[in-house]
Amino acid sequence: MNTLPLHQSGTIHEERVESIATGGAGVARLDGRAVFIPKTAAGDTVRFRVVKEKGKYLIGELEEIIRAGPARTAPPCAHWSDCGGCALQHVTPQAQAEAKKRIFLDALARIGKIDLRVPVQTVALPGNEERYRVRARFQIRGSGLGFFTPGARRLVEVEDCLLVEPSIANALGQARHLLQAEPRTRRIEAVEMTSLGEAEEAAVGLYLHAVGHRDRGNCKIDPRTLSAWKKFAEENRFPLATAGRRGPGGPPRWRAQYRPDMEHPELCLGVSPESFIQPNRALNRLLVKSVIEECRLNDEALVLDLYCGAGNFSLPLAVRSKRVLGVEENPYAVADAGLNREENGVENAEFLHSSVHKLTKEEVVSKLGGQKPGVVVLDPPRKGALDAMPLISALAPDRVVYVSCNPATLARDARELAASGYRARAAYVFDMFSHTAHLETLTSWTRKDASGPTQRF
C-alpha cells in the first residue's frame, strides 16, 4: 500500500517533548524517529505537524502547546517568535543550563566516543540573562534594521534587542531613526556595534559592512553613503570604521576596552573591530579565572596559547608564569595582542602571527627558550582545533586546557586527545550566551590523571 510521506500528509501528531537538542529545538519521538520541534521546551506536550523528513529524523512545526512543561516560561522579547536568534528564550535559565550540559555530554559520547568521568560544572550568573552582549551585528535592508531569520536572509526588524548592553541598545535606536530619515545611509549591508567600555554610558564603535561583504564583494561603500554615516557618527560621538578599509599595520579607528582578570584588574585589553571579542564581560572573567586555575601555573611555567586572539588568556597567564607564546592567524588580533602587551607592560608574553597547522615543534621550542611548554591552551573558532592535534602530540605537554564554542568539534578533537594519552581532569559549561542555543565549554586534560574518560571505539 502506498502512503504519503509524513510531511505531505498534513497529519497533526501529539507527543511529549523529551529534551532540547543542539540548535535549541525540542526533541520528541514519532514511530521510533526523533522529531525536532522549534519553540518547544522539555516536558511540553504539543501538537505538531512534520514538515521535513531527513532519513533518521524528522523536522516538526509546532501547532499547539497542550500542556506546558515545568521548563517553559514566557519569553520577555517581543521579537522572539520571528527573530529566532534566542532559540531558548522560552526556557527558564536553570533549564537552559541543564539543556546545554546535556548537549555537551551527548556530543562527547556520540561524536567523541568518550564517557566523561569527571563532574561537569555549570558556570552562570543569575541576573546576567539580558543586556550582556558587548557586540552585535545588525543587518540592513532598505530602512529596516534587525536580524536575519535562521537559515534565511529574511530580515526581522527589531526596535530593541534585550541581549545587548544598554549603550548598544541606545545606538540601535538612533541608527534606526537615521535609516528612516536618510535614504543614502541604507546602501550598506550591515552595521556592527561594539560597546567600547565597561561603564553603562560607554561609547559605541560602529563597523560598517559594504553590500556583498559577506559574499566577498568589492567592499566599497558609495562616498555619499559613507559621508552620511560619518556625519551621524560625529554627531553622536560614535567612532566609525569600515570593513576592508584598513591594513593590519594601520592604526585601528577604535578599540573596545575590557578587563579580563578579576585578580589583576589593572590589566586592560583593547580589541579592534576586526578582532574577536568574547560577548559577555562577566562570564569571560569567570572563564579566564577557570582557565588560570586549570593551568596550575608557577613562576617557571611555559605556556603555549593557540588561537590566542588579542591576548584574552595570554596576558592573564603571563603575569602568573615564566613565559607565554600566543599564536594567532588573524593579523589584526595579533596587532591588538602586541599593543595590549606594551600598554600593560607584560614583557614575558610574545605573539606570533601564524596558522596553527603551519606551526612546528621546533619553532615553539625555539620561541620558548629551548624548552617545551608544560601547558597548551586552545580557544579555536567553531571549526575546532583538529589542525593543532599533531603539534600537541609532538610537544606532549603535561596539560591541555581547551576552550570551545562548538560541542561537536570539541568532541571530535577530544577523541584525538584521548587517543594521544590524555584524560579529562575537569569540565565546565559556561552560560556565555544566555537565551541562545550556543554554549561555551572548558575541558582540562592531563597525561597523569588515569581516572579520566574511557573510550568506546
Side-chain angles (χ1 to χ4, degrees), residues 253-285:
R253 298 302 299 266
W254 52 258
R255 295 169 71 221
Q257 305 289 328
Y258 73 102
R259 301 182 186 277
D261 192 335
M262 292 187 289
E263 294 182 2
H264 290 268
E266 72 278 5
L267 277 179
C268 185
L269 307 191
V271 178
S272 65
E274 298 86 355
S275 299
F276 171 77
I277 186 172
Q278 284 286 8
N280 190 319
R281 299 181 194 276
L283 264 295
N284 181 63
R285 278 191 276 268

Side-chain angles (χ1 to χ4, degrees), residues 15 40 60 63 114 120 151 209 234 266 289 295 303 318-320 338 375 423 454:
E15 298 290 344
T40 62
E63 291 287 329
I114 290 175
V120 179
H209 293 265
E234 290 170 358
E266 72 278 5
K289 180 176 183 291
C295 285
V303 181
V319 299
R320 296 168 169 86
V375 182
R423 298 294 180 264
T454 58

Side-chain angles (χ1 to χ4, degrees), residues 6 9 11-15 30-31 46-50:
L6 284 173
S9 69
T11 303
I12 301 296
H13 305 275
E14 181 178 319
E15 298 290 344
L30 183 63
D31 298 330
V46 300
R47 288 194 179 97
F48 65 95
R49 68 176 71 245
V50 175

Side-chain angles (χ1 to χ4, degrees), residues 13 23 57 111 136 169 184 198 211 225 236 240 260 272 287 306 329 345 349 351 362 371 378 384 439:
H13 305 275
Y57 66 93
I111 300 171
R184 288 184 298 175
E198 307 224 2
V211 174
T225 298
N236 292 280
L240 179 69
S272 65
L287 177 62
L306 301 177
E329 186 174 22
F351 295 98
E362 291 73 22
Q371 294 180 278
L378 308 164
L439 60 151

Side-chain angles (χ1 to χ4, degrees), residues 204-436:
V204 170
L206 305 181
Y207 192 45
L208 304 183
H209 293 265
V211 174
H213 181 266
R214 181 185 292 267
D215 302 316
R216 300 188 177 182
N218 60 21
C219 300
K220 292 183 179 179
I221 297 178
D222 178 83
R224 291 177 299 176
T225 298
L226 187 57
S227 176
W229 275 97
K230 284 182 176 179
K231 180 181 178 182
F232 167 75
E234 290 170 358
E235 290 175 348
N236 292 280
R237 298 182 180 180
F238 296 150
L240 179 69
T242 304
R245 296 288 294 270
R246 176 174 82 97
R253 298 302 299 266
W254 52 258
R255 295 169 71 221
Q257 305 289 328
Y258 73 102
R259 301 182 186 277
D261 192 335
M262 292 187 289
E263 294 182 2
H264 290 268
E266 72 278 5
L267 277 179
C268 185
L269 307 191
V271 178
S272 65
E274 298 86 355
S275 299
F276 171 77
I277 186 172
Q278 284 286 8
N280 190 319
R281 299 181 194 276
L283 264 295
N284 181 63
R285 278 191 276 268
L286 294 177
L287 177 62
V288 170
K289 180 176 183 291
S290 296
V291 167
I292 291 167
E293 291 172 351
E294 292 302 326
C295 285
R296 296 192 166 190
L297 303 172
N298 57 43
D299 291 342
E300 297 301 313
L302 301 175
V303 181
L304 174 64
D305 184 9
L306 301 177
Y307 316 95
C308 69
N312 186 52
F313 300 126
S314 299
L315 295 176
L317 292 171
V319 299
R320 296 168 169 86
S321 61
K322 182 177 181 180
R323 189 163 187 80
V324 173
L325 173 63
V327 180
E328 173 58 49
E329 186 174 22
N330 181 339
Y332 300 97
V334 173
D336 286 338
L339 190 55
N340 288 330
R341 175 191 59 201
E342 294 172 9
E343 291 177 343
N344 288 278
V346 183
E347 299 179 355
N348 61 328
E350 181 178 357
F351 295 98
L352 179 64
H353 177 213
S354 173
S355 298
V356 169
H357 74 272
K358 296 180 180 179
L359 199 61
T360 66
K361 171 186 173 181
E362 291 73 22
E363 189 172 11
V364 171
V365 170
S366 175
K367 292 286 186 181
L368 291 175
Q371 294 180 278
K372 295 193 300 182
V375 182
V376 172
V377 175
L378 308 164
D379 186 12
R382 289 190 61 80
K383 68 178 182 179
L386 192 60
D387 288 347
M389 293 302 126
L391 178 64
I392 291 174
S393 180
L395 290 170
D398 293 333
R399 189 167 289 106
V400 175
V401 179
Y402 192 146
V403 176
S404 170
C405 61
N406 186 341
T409 54
L410 165 68
R412 177 203 63 198
D413 298 343
R415 186 171 184 173
E416 295 294 321
L417 288 172
S420 296
Y422 287 91
R423 298 294 180 264
R425 178 187 177 275
Y428 306 76
V429 175
F430 289 82
D431 197 13
M432 184 78 74
F433 313 94
S434 293
H435 292 320
T436 79

